[in-house]
Amino acid sequence: MKIIRQAKIYAPEFLGKKDVLVAGGKIQKIQDNIVLEGNVDIDEIEAQDMIMFPGFIDSHVHITGGGGEGSFSSRTPEIMLSDITSAGVTTVIGTLGTDGTTRTMTNLLAKARGLEEEGITTFVNTGSYQIPVKTITGSITDDIILIEKIIGVGEIAISDHRSSQPSFEDIAKLIADARLGGMLSGKAGTVNFHLGDSKRMLDILFEVAEKTEIPLKHIVPTHTNRNPYLFEDAIKYAKMGGYIDFTTSTVPQFIEEGEVECWKALKRVFEEGIDMQNITFSSDAQGSLPRFDQNGTMIGIDVGKVSSLYEAVISCIKNGEISIEKAIMTITSNPARIYKLKGKGFIKEGMDADIVLVDEDTLKIKSVLANGRLMVSNEEILIKGTFEK
Ligand code: ZN
């Protein structure tokens, strides 16, 4: 049992200064002052000058590594537990990427289970960039219904030179399969779409919205801030009620070339009057950040980081002057609702005890609890992954 005293709670809505009682991996009680009767064995965490957030959700992480666009030596490494927890993230959705040949669904599932054994919560998407989707059971719908960790499909590449050039029919069928799997298993049944730099942008998704009866809630386009024209198209799509995801991992060259920084993107969303609950951030961590020349030849490569997720939120608060509630929603309550992650994304009685404590002035991450277990305490990593030194 633990009691966290007097943090300013953003649940994500502001609840004021309260005490939070954690037991059995859940948030048991939230009150102004919790008084304990008798002799109870309990850890007290003083959080007077701290802000409390729900544990962060990173909905797009290449947990087994990704990349490979510059041949085998450019395959990125697997993620380690503390890369995730030190960034305040307590729930990840793992995904394959460009490479669906040497990266497999069984490997992704094993890695997700490994991270869960080490203490965080994990889910995965089935498939990679390519169509037809390489599933575990042979069917998208069956994967979602039968395999507990699989909650959707992705990332499927569209409008990108690395995609398998799917047709409208391919895409409509794929979303329909995900929807059916989601309906029959009580999961979200979402399709995460990787958007590239092609001028076709979100065309195929607008076509799905126009020509089919599939609800938009099954579609999550990502990397929609990667260039100015795609961003404008994404704003148009969001105005129709669609979800959009912004990628937080970046390098200075991308920003120089026109990538829309997350804080600028979120500010624009707010100014346009778009429903802020439909916006998520994800890190694309362990994904490669390849740089190509005009002929599509790779000229350099970097790796995305989970730490970029909350850094982008801090930027929204500091540079974008967006309220803490609205900024933090993008990595807590919004992904929890969109991906139907039970027990996640809120500081509320009965929810999982995934908690991040940050310094009130600097917003720096101090302590992190995942399922009630203290993973990071006062910036010190207490729980390390099996092979971390
Ligand atoms: Zn991608």
Side-chain angles (χ1 to χ4, degrees):
M1 273 168 74
K2 288 180 190 68
I3 196 156
I4 305 166
R5 298 276 189 200
Q6 295 301 299
K8 273 188 178 169
I9 303 177
Y10 285 88
E13 78 280 17
F14 185 57
L15 300 184
K17 270 190 180 235
K18 306 232 182 258
D19 288 351
V20 173
L21 179 72
V22 167
K26 304 269 181 201
I27 296 171
Q28 302 291 354
K29 207 181 268 188
I30 304 171
Q31 279 175 6
D32 289 346
N33 287 292
I34 297 174
V35 182
L36 298 165
E37 311 267 322
N39 210 352
V40 197
D41 183 24
I42 196 160
D43 294 332
E44 297 246 358
I45 300 172
E46 284 304 328
Q48 275 293 342
D49 304 315
M50 289 191 223
I51 286 175
M52 180 188 292
F53 292 130
F56 306 148
I57 299 166
D58 196 342
S59 54
H60 188 116
V61 182
H62 299 282
I63 55 176
T64 59
E69 285 98 330
S71 190
F72 299 108
S73 59
S74 67
R75 295 167 84 256
T76 64
E78 275 193 13
I79 204 160
M80 293 286 171
L81 179 72
S82 69
D83 298 333
I84 300 171
T85 53
S86 64
V89 171
T90 52
T91 301
V92 293
I93 303 177
T95 197
L96 297 178
T98 322
D99 181 357
T101 302
T102 77
R103 308 285 192 184
T104 62
M105 278 309 298
T106 47
N107 185 35
L108 184 70
L109 207 47
K111 177 68 186 179
R113 287 182 179 153
L115 287 170
E116 189 133 335
E117 283 177 5
E118 291 175 340
I120 61 163
T121 304
T122 59
F123 300 94
V124 301
N125 285 320
T126 191
S128 59
Y129 271 20
Q130 285 84 39
I131 283 182
V133 173
K134 287 184 190 168
T135 61
I136 290 183
T137 62
S139 138
I140 287 170
T141 308
D142 292 2
D143 270 18
I144 296 173
I145 297 171
L146 300 174
I147 301 171
E148 202 168 335
K149 284 214 173 297
I150 298 181
I151 57 168
V153 186
E155 57 177 316
I156 303 294
I158 55 171
S159 303
D160 192 295
H161 60 95
R162 291 162 288 178
S163 78
S164 49
Q165 305 298 325
S167 66
F168 161 73
E169 285 75 19
D170 292 334
I171 294 298
K173 170 91 175 65
L174 186 125
I175 305 167
D177 288 351
R179 169 170 165 76
L180 181 62
M183 286 171 75
L184 295 176
S185 60
K187 297 178 185 174
T190 40
V191 184
N192 197 212
F193 284 102
H194 158 106
L195 271 297
D197 282 319
S198 157
K199 287 277 163 82
R200 286 180 289 171
M201 304 178 286
L202 295 165
D203 287 358
I204 217 163
L205 301 182
F206 282 110
E207 209 178 334
V208 169
E210 196 185 298
K211 293 185 183 165
T212 77
E213 53 293 315
I214 301 168
L216 292 186
K217 66 177 183 177
H218 296 286
I219 300 170
V220 186
T222 186
H223 316 320
T224 57
N225 55 323
R226 74 182 303 148
N227 67 51
Y229 50 89
L230 177 63
F231 177 67
E232 290 307 321
D233 213 35
I235 290 288
K236 214 169 99 192
Y237 181 78
K239 280 183 172 173
M240 279 172 27
Y243 299 143
I244 48 172
D245 183 65
F246 299 130
T247 299
T248 58
S249 282
T250 188
V251 289
Q253 192 197 331
F254 291 176
I255 294 166
E256 278 163 35
E257 286 170 0
E259 185 179 289
V260 184
E261 286 172 86
C262 283
W263 70 268
K264 288 182 183 163
L266 196 66
K267 199 170 179 190
R268 174 73 187 282
V269 163
F270 179 66
E271 287 163 359
E272 292 282 353
I274 292 164
D275 187 350
M276 298 286 272
Q277 294 196 71
N278 290 350
I279 314 299
T280 55
F281 287 179
S282 65
S283 73
D284 200 12
Q286 296 321 97
S288 64
L289 300 169
R291 286 164 278 133
F292 296 96
D293 68 13
Q294 285 154 336
N295 302 318
T297 308
M298 201 186 85
I299 50 168
I301 195 161
D302 294 285
V303 178
K305 288 189 172 62
V306 174
S307 56
S308 67
L309 189 76
Y310 176 60
E311 282 166 15
V313 169
I314 295 179
S315 256
C316 290
I317 298 163
K318 292 194 169 165
N319 301 325
E321 293 172 346
I322 294 160
S323 71
I324 295 177
E325 288 100 323
K326 289 203 164 60
I328 206 71
M329 272 163 53
T330 59
I331 61 170
T332 56
S333 56
N334 292 358
R337 209 186 50 257
I338 289 168
Y339 296 106
K340 285 196 180 180
L341 309 179
K342 290 186 196 91
K344 304 296 179 190
F346 296 88
I347 300 288
K348 198 175 166 190
E349 288 176 6
M351 301 296 272
D352 293 343
D354 292 341
I355 292 169
V356 179
L357 294 169
V358 309
D359 183 280
E360 195 180 343
D361 298 320
T362 63
L363 298 179
K364 201 167 180 215
I365 294 171
K366 290 294 184 186
S367 299
V368 180
L369 282 89
N371 295 307
R373 192 165 162 219
L374 199 55
M375 309 297 279
V376 177
S377 175
N378 229 338
E379 293 183 49
E380 190 199 338
I381 294 160
L382 296 187
I383 310 288
K384 288 184 176 163
T386 315
F387 296 103
E388 287 186 273
K389 283 266 163 8

